[in-house]
């Protein structure tokens, strides 16, 4: 392997092979910007499409594509695309301006339906314009093999004025982190490490079974609402919550802001079930709450590949009292954190690290439906920089994250605090959840119950 290549990490390889043409596995974000400031005299106005293209091309990771390798058998590697053309990735769509936010959400959902082209660097970016007041939106799609939530933030941040200003003006060489191919002096150490890995994998496997992560089914569970065969369609809805109200609840009740948001999500699901005229599920829906495994103090984009684990949380949808729901969430998350992400649900990601590449390549068709046995929906929080961000001088007003749907599931929830607000992106199977807007509206109503 050449020095300009980097083997896909095991979890990235799993994500790469779990995707199919009818079930894309990319995450995304829909960012809304205010109008561009007036250009100074004797200067041309900012061309946002050109600006996006130049800044995206300057991010080394976005010039990398995936290719198969001979060794290890079944493996794949990131390598620089010799024919990279940023215009194949950055496009412009002009929308009707009557209700621009709604049109941007609608078209973003349609664009999220199609997988990124696998022969190219696996990402896309769309400039959505046409608003009467000159505001615009940017949709970013990144394959999950390219980035987890925190790494996506680090990659996507390169388009913002504040981050781009600190980047060298020269065109950077797309050199990824060092290859994983060992030198001769490392072979003995690696063999010793693999023996240790085997012992740890057995312990991890025991924790999966012992914590009831794998389950053959849950009688009375919310199969009709949160579980569905993939239709290949996507629906997107958004909600915005005041961050100061979330923190006011946290200060009054204890726990974390994330506990409050998880409790709000549980209440919103309860309200949504009721609005559909459905009985409450016989068992509380189980959420996978992703957790980064990056070392404390490491930069968000540091290190190659995804570094994820996760906690399992039974969202207390069957609990009628909002305060009791929050208390239940806080207690369950405290137990998860005490056990640590290497136990229970986190063991799933750790096991991926122990499997050989060939197992990911040929086991993906069998594993693709496993998420249905592990959890019912994904609920994740994606942190953003606290400082104000802009693009070409246009201020970032909101950024709605979009998590990928697991096969066999119909809903994923992602949340990002920014600018004093919590921006919530709901991604659903378009046929299974035609009333996603009702669920989005329920988030605001549930916050009102906790903070009247």
């Amino acid at each position: 392997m050449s020095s300009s290549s980097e083997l896909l990490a095991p979890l990235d390889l799993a994500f790469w092979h779990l995707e199919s043409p009818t079930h894309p596995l990319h995450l995304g974000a829909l960012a809304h910007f205010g109008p561009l400031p007036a250009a100074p005299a004797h200067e041309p106005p900012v061309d946002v499409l050109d600006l996006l293209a130049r800044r995206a091309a300057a991010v080394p990771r976005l010039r990398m594509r995936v290719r198969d390798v001979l060794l290890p058998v079944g493996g794949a590697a990131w390598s620089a695309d010799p024919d990279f053309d940023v215009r194949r990735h950055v496009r412009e769509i002009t929308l009707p301006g009557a209700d621009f936010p709604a049109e941007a959400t609608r078209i973003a959902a349609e664009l999220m339906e199609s997988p990124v082209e696998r022969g190219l660097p696996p990402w896309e970016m769309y400039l959505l314009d046409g608003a009467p007041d000159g505001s615009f939106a940017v949709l970013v799609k990144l394959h999950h093999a390219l980035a987890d939530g925190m790494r996506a933030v680090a990659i996507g941040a390169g388009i913002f004025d504040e981050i781009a200003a600190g980047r060298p003006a020269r065109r950077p060489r797309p050199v990824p982190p060092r290859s994983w191919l060992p030198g001769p002096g490392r072979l003995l150490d690696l063999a010793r490490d693999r023996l240790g890995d085997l012992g740890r994998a057995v312990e991890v496997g025991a924790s999966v079974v012992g914590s009831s992560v794998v389950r053959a089914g849950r009688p009375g569970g919310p199969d009709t609402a949160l579980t569905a065969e993939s239709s290949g369609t996507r629906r997107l809805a958004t909600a915005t919550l005041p961050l100061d109200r979330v923190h006011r609840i946290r200060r009054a009740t204890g726990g974390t802001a994330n506990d409050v948001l998880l409790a709000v999500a549980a209440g919103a699901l309860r309200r949504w079930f009721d609005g559909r005229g459905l009985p409450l599920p016989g068992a509380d829906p189980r959420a996978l709450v992703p957790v980064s495994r990056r070392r404390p103090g490491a930069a968000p984009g540091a290190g190659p590949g995804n570094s994820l684990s996760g906690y399992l949380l039974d969202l207390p949808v069957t609990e009628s009292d909002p305060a009791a729901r929050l208390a239940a969430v806080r207690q369950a998350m405290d137990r998860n954190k005490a056990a640590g992400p290497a136990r229970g649900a986190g063991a799933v990601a750790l096991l991926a690290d122990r499997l050989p590449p060939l197992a990911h390549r040929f086991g993906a068709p069998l594993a693709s439906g496993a998420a249905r046995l592990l959890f019912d929906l994904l609920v994740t929080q994606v942190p953003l920089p606290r400082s104000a961000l802009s693009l070409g001088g246009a201020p970032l007003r909101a950024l709605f994250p979009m998590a990928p749907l697991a096969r066999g599931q119909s809903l994923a929830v992602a949340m990002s605090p920014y600018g004093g607000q919590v921006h919530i992106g709901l991604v659903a199977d378009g046929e299974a959840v035609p009333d996603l807007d009702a669920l989005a509206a329920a988030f605001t109503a549930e916050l009102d119950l906790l903070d009247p």
Side-chain angles (χ1 to χ4, degrees):
M1 184 180 300
S2 72
S3 60
S4 62
S5 296
E6 169 208 328
L7 288 177
L8 266 70
L11 191 54
D12 300 346
L13 192 63
F15 286 142
W16 189 249
H17 290 308
L18 282 170
E19 183 178 64
S20 72
T22 58
H23 191 86
L25 201 61
H26 49 253
L27 44 84
L30 179 62
H32 286 270
F33 295 88
L36 293 166
H42 311 298
E43 288 188 18
V46 173
D47 184 332
V48 179
L49 185 67
D50 179 69
L51 185 64
L52 281 173
R54 287 188 285 109
R55 289 186 177 171
V59 177
R61 198 74 187 177
L62 296 183
R63 304 174 70 93
M64 310 299 291
R65 64 176 181 177
V66 176
R67 63 178 181 84
D68 293 336
V69 295
L70 294 176
L71 293 174
V73 177
W78 294 106
S79 61
D81 182 357
D83 301 315
F84 178 77
D85 180 357
V86 72
R87 295 293 180 173
R88 301 178 73 174
H89 301 265
V90 180
R91 300 154 191 157
E92 181 177 16
I93 299 176
T94 299
L95 303 174
D99 189 351
F100 182 80
E103 285 295 322
T105 300
R106 180 192 61 78
I107 195 65
E110 292 184 9
L111 294 170
M112 291 294 287
E113 292 178 359
S114 58
V116 294
E117 189 170 342
R118 293 172 74 89
L120 301 174
W123 63 276
E124 297 170 2
M125 196 176 295
Y126 294 86
L127 169 62
L128 309 177
D129 55 22
D133 65 352
S135 60
F136 60 93
V138 174
L139 172 69
V140 179
K141 292 169 55 176
L142 299 172
H143 196 284
H144 209 344
L146 178 65
D148 55 28
M150 292 185 69
R151 192 174 181 87
V153 171
I155 292 173
I159 72 169
F160 293 114
D161 300 334
E162 293 73 17
I163 286 81
R167 183 188 294 134
R170 63 181 178 83
R171 180 175 177 178
R173 295 177 60 194
V175 179
R178 64 179 177 84
S179 169
W180 286 8
L181 286 181
R186 283 279 295 148
L187 289 177
L188 184 59
D189 289 339
L190 287 175
R192 188 180 299 114
D193 291 344
R194 289 297 172 266
L195 290 175
D197 285 346
L198 180 60
R200 287 190 292 273
V202 172
E203 181 183 353
V204 164
S207 76
V208 172
V209 177
S211 64
S212 301
V213 173
V214 177
R215 50 205 164 97
R218 305 175 71 199
D223 292 340
T224 56
L226 298 176
T227 321
E229 294 299 326
S230 176
S231 68
T233 63
R234 290 292 181 269
R235 191 175 296 273
L236 172 65
T238 63
T240 303
L241 304 179
L243 186 57
D244 61 342
R245 297 181 66 192
V246 173
H247 283 300
R248 185 161 60 231
I249 298 167
R250 173 191 59 79
R251 288 191 295 269
T253 61
T256 68
N258 196 45
D259 293 341
V260 176
L261 292 172
L262 289 168
V264 169
L269 284 170
R270 178 185 175 90
R271 183 179 293 265
W272 181 56
F273 278 117
D274 184 64
R276 280 186 155 203
L278 298 174
L280 290 175
D284 285 328
R286 179 170 288 179
L288 177 64
V289 182
V291 178
S292 174
R293 290 193 286 138
R294 301 191 188 281
R295 289 188 297 273
N306 284 278
S307 185
L308 287 173
S309 181
Y311 295 134
L312 287 184
L313 172 68
D314 288 341
L315 292 171
V317 169
T318 55
E319 171 58 60
S320 61
D321 180 60
R325 282 198 294 268
L326 177 53
V329 166
R330 185 172 64 248
Q331 292 167 8
M333 289 301 290
D334 285 346
R335 288 194 298 268
N336 279 331
K337 293 168 188 174
R343 306 292 295 179
V348 177
L350 296 179
L351 279 174
D353 294 345
R354 270 66 172 182
L355 295 176
L358 200 60
H360 288 299
R361 182 178 293 271
F362 292 105
L366 297 176
S368 62
R372 183 180 296 182
L373 301 178
L374 302 174
F375 57 95
D376 299 304
L377 74 161
L378 178 73
V379 183
T380 184
Q381 185 173 154
V382 181
L384 293 176
R386 293 185 179 182
S387 58
L389 300 172
S390 61
L391 176 61
L396 176 66
R397 288 177 170 173
L399 190 146
F400 298 100
M402 289 174 278
L405 281 184
R407 186 179 296 277
Q409 296 181 356
S410 59
L411 176 68
V413 181
M415 301 176 280
S416 283
Y418 174 78
Q421 306 285 337
V422 180
H423 301 106
I424 301 172
L426 305 176
V427 176
D429 183 282
E431 293 188 6
V433 189
D435 57 342
L436 190 61
D437 288 339
L439 178 57
F443 275 79
T444 299
E446 287 304 313
L447 184 67
D448 290 340
L449 289 180
L450 287 170
D451 181 42

